[in-house]
């Protein structure tokens, strides 16, 4: 037996030729260590042999018996069928394999076999189709395929039994090589089983019960390594020098006087946190969470102006042009009498206009630049960028956030990112694990919770009648249509036609405007501005108004085909109303066709709480889809599940941060291995985060 090196190419393992090697690399397996960490996707319980007479239709089970009949045939010349009958003391089972003609060479009458497969009943006979099989001998003891058998996620070029054999070889040959890299203190504290046991059991468990401890150990390990990468990244950010702003009472009261209202307790607290960050030598790296309508913009304005008061430029980035324009309007309103130069860097500018804008940014002529992701394009250079605020961060990727920070600015600008998609605690730890988090957890006073109703087919006329009544009282309404990207044109047509229909048939005499993504940005701005100034009563729109838009006089959000929107979108859309002192309503038109859609609408009607909605959304969709995995830099864990295993995640995070902060600088024999592992892992994760 050759001695195996866990980190040498897996080509050197016997049984791995060039072809198999290629297949393995497709699965991301390059070394024996990679293979050990390629965990089963499921297990089959083959520990019990069931009597043929006791087989139940639909069960997947193990049977042992003697072959009593063998027959092969073809149907219509293209499909081969190989059939056998297997008998034990209690009965007979029919077994069929399709398109595996070579099997007829293998089976003979009187062979003793183990079969594992799904039981079906055909013409009152029990049968299995395409089961796994193993030949056994009378006195040979239990078959190899008995017990708890791992099932792996494989490609068509690799079958389960070949992979299992390879795994068996590697697991047993590497038992003496697997190091324990957690120090004794962590093993004790978390009561973990040794690495070597965990790896053996995860692949070849003796019982299903024993699996749990192996899984817990490996999940903890996976989370720990990830979180230590987060801890290191956070340290790294804290180690560079940023601006140390000076913000005194005078500057503050100046800024506060611009706001036409008193700040809520929450806003004040968060502003204190931002103040502390800005006045420190370290760059701010903070996430501000707050439900739709909680008043995050005020915090952004505070930070932007405080930075400008210190003689640097600041940038405010929004995910849509509409929102960027709104911020531009808001800031111009606040700054009407101040000597601050604000620039809106729009998309779709003429070359000359854009060049002029860029020149002003570069020369430092403008103090505050507002824009979309156009702000992070290559040709945008700031003179002395001191602060960046990113609104609705969930609409950007982690990548973009990091790109802005890493634009080669010195000193490093402060960064404040804001999000209204409430991120469940479990997720924010992983995605934003390198950020400090502030939360606005109350709405401005006087807000009346939005009332939400489902509108069934028969009630549409009533609902429209209700909208008209509200409009007659002086309120405004949004009517939103879904827009599916693949058929944007079609939907656009639908929205345009609907707007016409609504105008002519449903709301004659009312002023109906239409807004959608395909309009030129000036046109969008124009229509939005008309709505803001109440020159329209009703705005028919696509999802373009989803985030950020703030028109307090609008009190109705009617969503057509609500079943087609995701929960987060519905919540965001509803957040467009309930922003003033009048009772607001959200009307969900449409009929849910799937269980998921039913649950989404039910959740919307049941609660206004963004955090509850986000948790539910996550439950319905799973973490991957919740954020659209890659774009948001959500790491894909092999065995840990950030939702189900959040308790382990939390423990691992605490331990990892403590470990990194206390020990990374003092290497001892006890922690050397773990530190090496963390650094290796950090490099990978860092790449992932920084290059998307
Ligand atoms: P979001 O957190 O969704 O970005 P905004 O910043 O757009 O919320 O604020 C929503 C609305 O609430 C705006 O019209 C804003 O002027 C208003 N607002 C913000 N803070 C307060 C406050 N403390 N008191 C009263 N109104 C406020
Ligand atoms: Mg906002």
């Amino acid at each position: 037996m050759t001695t195996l090196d866990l980190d040498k190419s897996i080509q050197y393992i016997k049984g791995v030729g060039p072809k198999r090697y290629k297949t393995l690399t497709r699965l991301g397996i390059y070394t024996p260590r990679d293979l050990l960490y390629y965990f089963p996707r499921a297990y089959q319980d083959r520990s019990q042999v069931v009597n043929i007479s006791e087989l139940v239709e639909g069960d997947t089970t193990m049977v042992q018996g003697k072959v009593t009949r063998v027959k092969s045939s073809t149907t219509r010349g293209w499909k081969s069928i190989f059939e056998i009958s297997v008998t034990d003391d209690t009965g007979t089972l029919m077994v069929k394999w399709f398109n595996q003609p070579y099997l007829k060479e293998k089976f003979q009458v009187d062979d003793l076999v183990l079969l594992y497969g799904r039981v079906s009943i055909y013409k009152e006979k029990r049968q299995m189709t395409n089961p796994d099989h193993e030949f056994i001998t009378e006195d040979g003891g239990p078959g190899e395929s008995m017990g708890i058998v791992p099932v792996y996620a494989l490609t068509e070029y690799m079958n389960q039994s070949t992979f299992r054999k390879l795994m068996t070889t590697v697991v047993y040959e590497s038992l003496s090589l697997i190091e324990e890299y957690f120090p004794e203190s962590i093993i004790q504290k978390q009561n973990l089983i040794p690495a070597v046991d965990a790896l053996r059991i995860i692949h070849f468990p003796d019982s299903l019960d024993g699996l749990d401890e192996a899984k817990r150990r490996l999940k903890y390990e996976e989370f720990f390594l990830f979180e230590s990468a987060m801890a290191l990244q956070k340290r790294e950010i804290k180690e560079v020098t940023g601006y140390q702003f000076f913000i005194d009472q005078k500057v503050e009261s100046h800024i506060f006087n611009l706001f036409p209202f008193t700040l809520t307790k929450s806003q004040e607290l968060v502003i204190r946190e931002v103040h502390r960050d800005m006045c420190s030598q370290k760059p701010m790296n903070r996430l501000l969470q707050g439900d739709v309508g909680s008043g995050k913009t005020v915090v952004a304005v505070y930070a932007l102006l405080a930075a400008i008061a210190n003689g640097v430029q600041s940038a405010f980035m929004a995910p849509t042009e509409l929102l960027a324009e709104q911020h531009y309007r808001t800031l111009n309103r606040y700054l009407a009498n101040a000597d601050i130069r604000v620039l809106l860097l729009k998309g779709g500018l003429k070359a000359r206009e854009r060049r002029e804008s860029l020149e002003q940014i570069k020369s430092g002529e403008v103090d505050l630049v507002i824009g979309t992701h156009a702000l992070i394009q290559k040709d945008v250079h700031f003179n002395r960028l001191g602060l960046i605020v990113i609104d609705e961060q969930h609409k950007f990727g982690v990548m973009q956030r990091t790109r802005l920070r890493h634009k080669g600015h010195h000193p490093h600008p402060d960064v404040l990112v804001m999000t209204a998609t409430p991120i469940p605690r479990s997720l924010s730890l992983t995605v934003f694990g390198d950020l400090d988090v502030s939360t606005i957890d109350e709405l401005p006073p006087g807000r009346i919770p939005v009332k939400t109703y489902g509108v069934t087919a028969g009630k549409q006329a009533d609902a429209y009648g209700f909208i008209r009544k509200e409009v007659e009282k002086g309120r405004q309404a949004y009517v939103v249509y879904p827009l599916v990207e693949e058929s944007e044109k079609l939907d656009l047509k639908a929205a345009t036609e609907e707007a016409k229909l609504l105008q002519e048939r449903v709301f004659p005499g009312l002023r109906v405007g239409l807004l959608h993504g395909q309009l030129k940005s000036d046109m969008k701005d124009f229509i939005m501005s008309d709505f803001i100034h109440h020159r329209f009563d009703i705005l028919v729109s696509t999802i373009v108004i989803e985030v950020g838009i703030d028109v307090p006089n609008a009190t109705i959000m009617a969503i057509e085909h609500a079943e087609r929107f995701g929960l987060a979108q519905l919540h965001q859309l509803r957040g467009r109303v309930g922003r003033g002192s009048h009772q607001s309503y959200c009307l969900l038109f449409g009929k849910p066709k799937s269980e998921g859609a039913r649950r989404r609408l039910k959740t919307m009607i049941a609660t206004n709480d963004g955090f509850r909605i986000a948790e539910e959304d996550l439950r319905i969709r799973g973490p991957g889809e919740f954020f659209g995995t890659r774009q948001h830099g959500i790491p894909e864990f092999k065995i840990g599940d950030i939702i189900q295993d959040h308790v382990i995640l939390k423990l691992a995070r605490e331990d990892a941060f403590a470990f990194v902060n206390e020990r990374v600088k003092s290497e001892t024999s006890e922690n050397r291995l773990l530190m090496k592992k963390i650094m290796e892992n950090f490099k990978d994760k860092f790449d992932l985060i920084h290059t998307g």
Side-chain angles (χ1 to χ4, degrees), residues 322-323 326 478 528 544-545 547-551 575-576 579:
L322 274 180
L323 190 50
Q326 175 178 295
Y478 298 96
M528 204 59 228
V544 289
I545 56 146
V547 290
I549 297 304
D550 184 43
V551 182
R576 296 312 112 223
R579 298 182 151 245

Side-chain angles (χ1 to χ4, degrees), residues 79-218:
K79 200 171 199 180
S80 84
I81 304 175
F82 177 62
E83 276 176 87
I84 61 172
S85 300
V86 171
T87 308
D88 68 3
D89 295 342
T90 67
T92 299
L93 177 73
M94 310 295 296
V95 185
K96 280 184 189 170
W97 285 274
F98 291 99
N99 292 327
Q100 300 184 42
Y102 51 86
L103 286 178
K104 73 168 180 255
E105 314 294 328
K106 293 175 76 178
F107 283 85
Q108 277 168 3
V109 170
D110 281 348
D111 281 346
L112 212 49
V113 289
L114 281 171
L115 296 167
Y116 181 83
R118 193 165 173 280
V119 180
S120 57
I121 307 280
Y122 182 68
K123 290 188 179 161
E124 289 177 24
K125 284 188 182 142
R126 297 185 175 85
Q127 74 167 36
M128 279 185 184
T129 306
N130 295 337
D132 284 358
H133 69 278
E134 183 195 349
F135 294 98
I136 49 175
T137 51
E138 203 95 44
D139 49 1
E144 250 183 55
S145 62
M146 283 193 70
I148 310 288
V149 178
V151 182
Y152 298 91
L154 301 174
T155 70
E156 54 180 318
Y157 302 106
M158 174 72 80
N159 67 41
Q160 294 290 339
S161 94
T162 311
F163 195 80
R164 262 179 225 138
K165 279 204 192 90
L166 180 64
M167 190 64 88
T168 312
T169 312
V170 171
V171 166
Y172 288 97
E173 284 189 24
S174 59
L175 286 182
S176 60
L177 302 171
I178 295 167
E179 330 78 342
E180 176 56 67
Y181 48 76
F182 280 127
E184 193 53 33
S185 54
I186 287 181
I187 298 267
Q188 292 267 335
K189 182 175 170 213
Q190 301 300 350
N191 199 9
L192 302 175
I193 65 169
V196 57
D197 294 346
L199 286 172
R200 181 182 53 81
I201 293 171
I202 198 76
H203 294 290
F204 302 111
D206 306 317
S207 69
L208 287 177
D209 296 339
L211 253 180
D212 290 346
E213 281 305 299
K215 283 187 179 165
R216 188 171 67 85
R217 145 91 207 200
L218 294 167

Side-chain angles (χ1 to χ4, degrees), residues 296-297 323 327 391-392 548:
K296 294 182 294 296
T297 314
L323 190 50
H327 285 327
D391 196 12
E392 307 291 351

Side-chain angles (χ1 to χ4, degrees), residues 261-264 267 291-297 444 447 550 579:
F261 39 69
T262 343
L263 298 182
T264 63
Q267 285 169 325
D291 208 347
V292 265
S294 61
K296 294 182 294 296
T297 314
R447 292 282 177 79
D550 184 43
R579 298 182 151 245

Side-chain angles (χ1 to χ4, degrees), residues 221-234:
E221 175 177 325
E222 184 170 41
F223 287 146
F224 184 98
L225 290 176
F226 177 79
E227 290 298 339
S228 45
M230 283 288 171
L232 280 171
Q233 191 180 351
K234 193 163 177 172

Side-chain angles (χ1 to χ4, degrees), residues 451-613:
K451 290 187 176 158
T452 303
Y453 302 100
V455 180
T456 48
K459 296 281 180 193
Q460 286 187 358
D462 291 356
Y464 289 134
F466 178 74
I467 296 176
R468 176 179 278 277
K469 278 220 186 73
E470 281 293 299
V471 167
E472 281 164 0
K473 282 195 235 161
R475 305 286 82 77
Q476 289 165 277
Y478 298 96
V479 180
V480 174
Y481 282 86
L483 190 97
V484 185
E485 258 163 53
E486 296 93 293
S487 60
E488 207 165 317
K489 288 252 163 59
L490 256 177
D491 283 326
L492 197 57
K493 195 161 149 261
T496 318
E497 271 165 16
E498 282 304 326
K500 231 172 100 194
L501 212 74
L502 283 177
Q503 168 83 76
E504 289 168 4
R505 306 242 181 99
V506 186
F507 300 120
L510 303 188
R511 299 161 302 171
V512 180
L514 174 66
L515 185 69
H516 59 76
Q518 311 242 305
L519 294 171
K520 287 233 162 60
S521 89
D522 282 352
M523 197 59 195
K524 273 190 254 181
D525 196 24
F526 197 65
I527 291 168
M528 204 59 228
S529 150
D530 274 352
F531 188 62
I532 291 165
H533 294 106
H534 206 160
R535 289 191 277 269
F536 290 127
D537 302 305
I538 294 173
L539 186 66
V540 176
S541 173
T542 57
I543 196 81
V544 289
I545 56 146
E546 179 189 355
V547 290
I549 297 304
D550 184 43
V551 182
N553 190 48
T555 56
I556 292 192
M557 171 55 69
I559 305 176
E560 304 274 350
H561 298 291
E563 78 280 358
R564 289 211 227 150
F565 291 95
L567 203 39
Q569 285 182 316
L570 291 172
H571 180 61
Q572 283 282 343
L573 285 170
R574 179 169 59 187
R576 296 312 112 223
V577 297
R579 298 182 151 245
S581 52
H582 300 283
Q583 174 67 54
S584 289
Y585 304 89
C586 177
L587 307 177
L588 304 170
F589 288 71
K591 199 172 164 215
K593 291 179 190 73
S594 68
E595 181 53 27
R598 229 183 316 279
R599 276 172 71 184
R600 291 197 293 273
L601 300 192
K602 219 175 121 198
T603 308
M604 284 294 291
I605 293 167
T607 182
N608 280 317
D609 180 339
F611 277 85
R612 269 188 60 196
I613 288 175

